[in-house]
Amino acid sequence: MKDGKGILAGILGVTVLGLLAAGPAWAKETRFHVIQGGPAYFNAGIGAFNAAGVEPVPGHRGNATLPEIDLEYQSASKLFGIGALWGIVANTNGGFMGYTGFYSDIA
């Protein structure tokens, strides 16, 4: 990666996870509270793919704005306030992307 965006994203991700893990100790002084338990959630959403109308190169006509749907599941089980999530995003042109990640509920 010539511009280092991947390295920067990795550093940012590790920093966020570190702050979430340190949240319970930090909460005693700042009233910051990481929720440790709770129900599982299923989320659904609709939106627009490429809503800004970005073109990769001038004159390229392949990036139309398309309707999309997002389905996501957030698990109820958490470790140190961090749970797992899984999802899929699909548009009306047949494009789709699956993803997984971590989440934390913060009050």
Side-chain angles (χ1 to χ4, degrees):
M1 298 186 186
K2 294 180 182 177
D3 55 9
K5 288 183 182 177
I7 294 171
L8 182 61
I11 292 170
L12 181 62
V14 169
T15 303
V16 169
L17 287 177
L19 289 173
L20 290 174
W26 187 36
K28 293 177 185 175
E29 297 175 12
T30 63
R31 299 180 190 260
F32 178 76
H33 181 70
V34 177
I35 301 171
Q36 292 293 325
Y41 288 103
F42 178 77
N43 300 315
I46 57 172
F49 175 79
N50 195 27
V54 176
E55 295 180 0
V57 292
H60 186 269
R61 297 179 16 208
N63 288 348
T65 300
L66 302 168
E68 73 174 14
I69 186 168
D70 178 26
L71 303 173
E72 181 177 284
Y73 173 77
Q74 296 179 349
S75 69
S77 57
K78 295 180 183 175
L79 179 63
F80 301 112
I82 300 172
L85 64 86
W86 300 271
I88 187 167
V89 177
N91 64 31
T92 57
N93 197 27
F96 68 93
M97 176 189 75
Y99 60 91
T100 186
F102 302 101
Y103 78 97
S104 181
D105 298 320
I106 300 173

